[in-house]
Amino acid sequence: MKWAMFLRFFQIQPRDKGNKAGINTSLFPVKLKTFVELNMDVASASPRRYFFEVMSFFASAEHEKERLQYFASPEGRDDLYQYNQKERRTVLEVLEDFPSVQMPFEWLVQLVPPLKTRAFSISSCHSAHQNQVHLTVSVVMWKTPYKRKRSGLCSSWLASIDPQQNVLVAVWFKKGSLPPPPPSLPLILIGPGTGCAPFRGFVEERALQNESDPTAPMIFCFGCRNKDNDFLYQDFWMKHSQNGGVLSEDKGGGFYAAFSRDQPQKVYVQHKIKEQSTKIWSLLSQGASVYIAGSSNKMPSDVLSAFEDIVSAESGVSKEVASRWIRALEKAGKYYVEAWS
Ligand SMILES: Cc1cc2nc3c(=O)[nH]c(=O)nc-3n(C[C@H](O)[C@H](O)[C@H](O)COP(=O)(O)OP(=O)(O)OC[C@H]3O[C@@H](n4cnc5c(N)ncnc54)[C@H](O)[C@@H]3O)c2cc1C
Ligand SMILES: NC(=O)c1ccc[n+]([C@@H]2O[C@H](COP(=O)([O-])OP(=O)(O)OC[C@H]3O[C@@H](n4cnc5c(N)ncnc54)[C@H](OP(=O)(O)O)[C@@H]3O)[C@@H](O)[C@H]2O)c1
């Protein structure tokens, strides 16, 4: 960017002079507030070590300067990690903790982490909701080691929007890593928590296709904490798993839910697929594809391990052979994982 600051407006210009896309590269004014809101992550990402070094130059209080220099030094590395990254301190919080620092905007603009875009799976099917895109967003919340409450920037902001007000949300569409399955393909879908998002669209699509031609069986394993609190789209899954619906056992599929915190021991999606071992193996033998979506913690590897157990138990081969079989499935484009943290 090229900068010419005047009053509370900037003029900005893309740095790339190539301009192959034919974008208008002339200078245009942007309000300072808008620029910061749309580009600079002051309220969620933690600053880097160099930010502390630069802050120390602009600190006028001696004790703050010393502390910042210590944080920026090799000896202060561990303390900086505890104070900054582990506590997920934001740029704003750090600046508030060192009030004598008067960092010029030209420096801030270069050092503040850029605001990242957030991806969300589309949880509706286009044929069922034309001109609409549904998202399933969990408001991210956690406590830091010092028990400070933190919440996710984008998910909290989305949750704060008043649907009655016409708030414009800037969005981009990007092809996901889960290809849309043809109606004749048997499916095994695993989606705990917000991982159910893409599969709501799949089920809607299949329900429409099934109105004209019978579709292949479909199993969906959903997981959440409590049946009464976060059983997302409960009525929707129930509707499609009854009366010959696309998720029904009558059609060779099924809907299975794991509630992890409704009993003393954890029950997860992998426990549910193991309970359906015979059916899963039968679908895999018919050429089913496996789709897994949701949290990227241990879930994808635990689910993979459950599939290996199923293949091993049902076909009587060792776990190593079963593991190779699943890897071959993956190579053949029949085992997909879309996971996020
Ligand atoms: C392909 C793809 C599809 C996605 N689909 C969906 C979807 O359908 N629905 C959905 O809700 N999300 C989805 N996500 C995740 C989404 O993009 C965001 O990451 C999520 O909403 C959090 O963004 P945020 O701005 O609210 O949180 P941020 O401000 O980005 O904070 C999240 C970060 O906080 C930290 N954090 C979170 N919890 C903890 C904890 N317990 N302890 C320590 N640190 C923690 C982690 O560093 C985490 O990356 C998807 C992501 C990808 C890549
Ligand atoms: N879902 C909620 O009620 C809720 C509420 C507030 C905030 N949030 C926030 O939203 C974020 C995303 O939430 P989410 O709904 O997508 O997911 P999530 O609630 O974190 O997880 C969905 C389900 O997956 C389970 N799970 C945990 N580890 C697993 C593993 N190794 N294998 C299989 N299943 C596993 C969870 O059980 P356990 O968690 O019991 O282990 C839970 O039942 C969370 O990180 C949280 O910060 C969620």
Side-chain angles (χ1 to χ4, degrees), residues 2-306:
K2 218 175 178 182
W3 303 100
M5 196 167 30
F6 63 98
L7 297 175
R8 289 171 57 230
F9 282 84
F10 284 105
Q11 291 203 67
I12 63 169
Q13 183 182 40
R15 189 177 17 196
D16 181 10
K17 293 280 193 306
N19 192 23
K20 289 193 189 101
I23 296 162
N24 180 2
T25 56
S26 52
L27 291 169
F28 55 94
V30 175
K31 237 184 181 171
L32 175 59
K33 180 172 178 285
T34 310
F35 178 82
V36 173
E37 279 173 355
L38 296 181
N39 294 286
M40 295 166 67
D41 192 346
V42 291
S44 105
S46 298
R48 307 181 78 109
R49 194 200 61 83
Y50 184 55
F51 188 76
F52 291 83
E53 192 175 329
V54 175
M55 274 177 84
S56 72
F57 288 111
F58 294 107
S60 53
E62 205 47 44
H63 65 285
E64 287 182 15
K65 192 182 267 298
E66 271 172 24
R67 186 84 187 137
L68 288 162
Q69 280 169 345
Y70 170 71
F71 274 153
S73 69
E75 306 76 61
R77 232 175 79 168
D78 289 349
D79 283 336
L80 178 65
Y81 177 72
Q82 296 296 332
Y83 164 80
N84 187 42
Q85 292 98 309
K86 203 129 190 249
E87 278 298 298
R88 194 62 200 266
R89 262 270 181 211
T90 67
V91 168
L92 274 183
E93 287 173 333
V94 171
L95 288 171
E96 275 165 14
D97 282 352
F98 296 90
S100 82
V101 174
Q102 295 293 317
M103 199 187 289
F105 190 70
E106 296 88 304
W107 279 92
L108 278 174
V109 97
Q110 291 176 72
L111 294 180
V112 170
L115 190 60
K116 286 189 304 194
T117 56
R118 267 69 169 173
F120 293 97
S121 313
I122 295 178
S123 58
S124 52
C125 119
H126 177 69
S127 327
H129 309 275
Q130 288 185 9
N131 302 322
Q132 286 184 18
V133 166
H134 297 192
L135 302 182
T136 304
V137 180
S138 205
V139 180
V140 172
M141 276 184 271
W142 79 99
K143 278 198 180 142
T144 67
Y146 284 105
K147 308 274 176 258
R148 289 161 4 106
K149 279 191 187 161
R150 302 266 68 174
S151 53
L153 185 73
C154 182
S155 55
S156 310
W157 178 72
L158 285 172
S160 73
I161 293 175
D162 177 357
Q164 304 306 320
Q165 299 198 338
N166 280 333
V167 175
L168 283 177
V169 179
V171 295
W172 294 260
F173 290 91
K174 202 174 138 196
K175 211 169 178 186
S177 56
L178 304 177
S184 56
L185 181 68
L187 287 176
I188 301 165
L189 311 174
I190 316 290
T194 48
C196 71
F199 306 139
R200 179 174 174 259
F202 281 22
V203 171
E204 275 188 330
E205 181 90 43
R206 238 181 216 195
L208 286 177
Q209 291 160 342
N210 196 41
E211 284 173 10
S212 41
D213 274 316
T215 52
M218 197 179 200
I219 281 186
F220 176 39
C221 286
F222 173 72
C224 64
R225 299 172 186 190
N226 313 101
K227 186 174 185 201
D228 294 336
N229 295 338
D230 55 349
F231 192 171
L232 302 171
Y233 306 119
Q234 177 175 4
D235 295 344
F236 174 84
W237 310 122
M238 290 305 156
K239 181 180 131 199
H240 290 290
S241 58
Q242 286 159 8
N243 307 321
V246 287
L247 278 176
S248 67
E249 294 191 331
D250 308 348
K251 259 181 97 64
F255 171 74
Y256 307 101
F259 304 110
S260 59
R261 302 190 192 179
D262 277 350
Q263 61 287 306
Q265 78 290 0
K266 295 277 186 188
V267 177
Y268 287 152
V269 282
Q270 52 271 32
H271 300 119
K272 291 289 157 187
I273 55 173
K274 279 177 138 185
E275 280 171 22
Q276 300 304 321
S277 184
T278 312
K279 192 187 277 188
I280 298 265
W281 176 240
S282 156
L283 286 180
L284 285 173
S285 309
Q286 292 169 45
S289 280
V290 177
Y291 285 68
I292 299 163
S295 171
S296 60
N297 56 16
K298 277 179 76 247
M299 186 276 288
S301 58
D302 289 349
V303 169
L304 171 67
S305 174

